[in-house]
Amino acid sequence: MGCFSFLKVMMILFNLAIFLGGGTLLGVGIWVAVDGSSFSSIFGSSSTLQFVNVSYFLIVIGAILVVLGFLGCCGAQKESKCLLIMFFSIVLIIFIAEIAAAVVALVYTSLAENILQTTVTPTLKNQYGKVTEVTQVWNVTMSQVKCCGLTNYTDFTDSYYYKEHGNTYPPFCCNSTNAPCTETEARNSNRPGCFEQLLSDIRKNAGVVGGVAVGICALEIASMVVSMYLYCQLDKK
């Protein structure tokens, strides 16, 4: 088997796996979006909303993978230059977007925090405790991440929740959950904000995050190289 045939077969198998994986994610995402309650009952989740929110992410990722898998698999099988160059272009766009997002995340972390403060903090003040969806999302986040608000407990000062619960804060903002979370207790508990805590967790697992990122980038580069090699070789056939 020549180099062209070998890479063609590997391209087909690789993109077939991507297509099937994307189809699975797409199917699960649609299922959860349509019938999140049955999904949560099967998997024993206490919050259907978590899965409903994740479902849209799964649908988007699944759809992208299905398209990529189709283009790569059919492009190699049919030896179609059009499909191969489309596959190459989409992977290249995704690769550039990932690099840009990584640079922005590293260089403009403080800017991202300021943007989040201007958009998320008003939502916390006005909707937490009033809108069920917002309340559940933040309850799950603060419970699992062990944080309070976006910046700290002061995000809830004079908020709807604060006023409706006798000038107290959500129990996640205090170390003790047996007594009402007063301002003094919240200040003494010194719970970190969720943004700061998430950044801290990412830094602690920087090796794992970096390894996964490098692995994904390597796969993308390899797929682009192989697709372009097949594209160029078709001119010689």
Side-chain angles (χ1 to χ4, degrees):
M1 180 182 293
C3 182
F4 178 86
S5 299
F6 173 76
L7 290 178
K8 176 182 175 181
V9 172
M10 294 304 298
M11 184 79 169
I12 293 172
L13 294 177
F14 177 72
N15 283 282
L16 180 62
I18 291 179
F19 181 85
L20 294 176
T24 301
L25 290 178
L26 183 61
V28 171
I30 294 174
W31 173 26
V32 175
V34 173
D35 192 13
S37 58
S38 67
F39 186 92
S40 62
S41 64
I42 291 173
F43 289 92
S45 170
S46 60
S47 176
T48 302
L49 183 67
Q50 299 176 63
F51 291 113
V52 173
N53 289 334
V54 170
S55 68
Y56 300 113
F57 177 75
L58 293 178
I59 290 173
V60 172
I61 298 299
I64 293 174
L65 291 178
V66 166
V67 172
L68 276 178
F70 173 80
L71 292 175
C73 189
C74 291
Q77 173 63 29
K78 301 295 184 180
E79 297 185 359
S80 171
K81 295 179 65 177
C82 179
L83 294 178
L84 286 173
I85 200 64
M86 287 177 64
F87 173 85
F88 175 87
S89 300
I90 293 176
V91 175
L92 179 61
I93 292 172
I94 294 174
F95 181 78
I96 294 174
E98 290 172 347
I99 297 298
V103 171
V104 170
L106 292 173
V107 177
Y108 298 105
T109 301
S110 59
L111 176 61
E113 184 176 8
N114 292 333
I115 293 174
L116 285 174
Q117 285 178 342
T118 59
T119 56
V120 175
T121 303
T123 301
L124 277 176
K125 286 186 176 296
N126 300 324
Q127 298 186 16
Y128 183 84
K130 179 191 295 185
V131 180
T132 303
E133 291 79 5
V134 174
T135 304
Q136 288 181 339
V137 168
W138 274 99
N139 283 346
V140 171
T141 302
M142 292 189 291
S143 173
Q144 295 184 352
V145 183
K146 307 299 182 185
C147 58
C148 172
L150 182 68
T151 306
N152 52 39
Y153 74 94
T154 59
D155 290 339
F156 294 101
T157 301
D158 295 327
S159 66
Y160 174 85
Y161 180 95
Y162 182 84
K163 295 175 182 178
E164 289 294 315
H165 291 78
N167 295 343
T168 60
Y169 296 86
F172 308 102
C173 297
C174 294
N175 293 329
S176 175
T177 57
N178 297 325
C181 186
T182 62
E183 183 175 1
T184 302
E185 181 66 25
R187 187 189 309 112
N188 293 336
S189 297
N190 196 29
R191 284 290 181 96
C194 293
F195 185 80
E196 177 186 343
Q197 189 64 24
L198 286 172
L199 285 180
S200 176
D201 291 342
I202 291 174
R203 292 189 185 102
K204 290 179 182 177
N205 298 281
V208 176
V209 174
V212 172
V214 170
I216 293 174
C217 289
L219 285 175
E220 291 173 343
I221 292 173
S223 63
M224 286 190 291
V225 171
V226 172
S227 62
M228 185 53 63
Y229 172 81
L230 296 177
Y231 177 88
C232 295
Q233 289 299 311
L234 289 177
D235 290 330
K236 301 177 181 180
K237 296 190 68 176

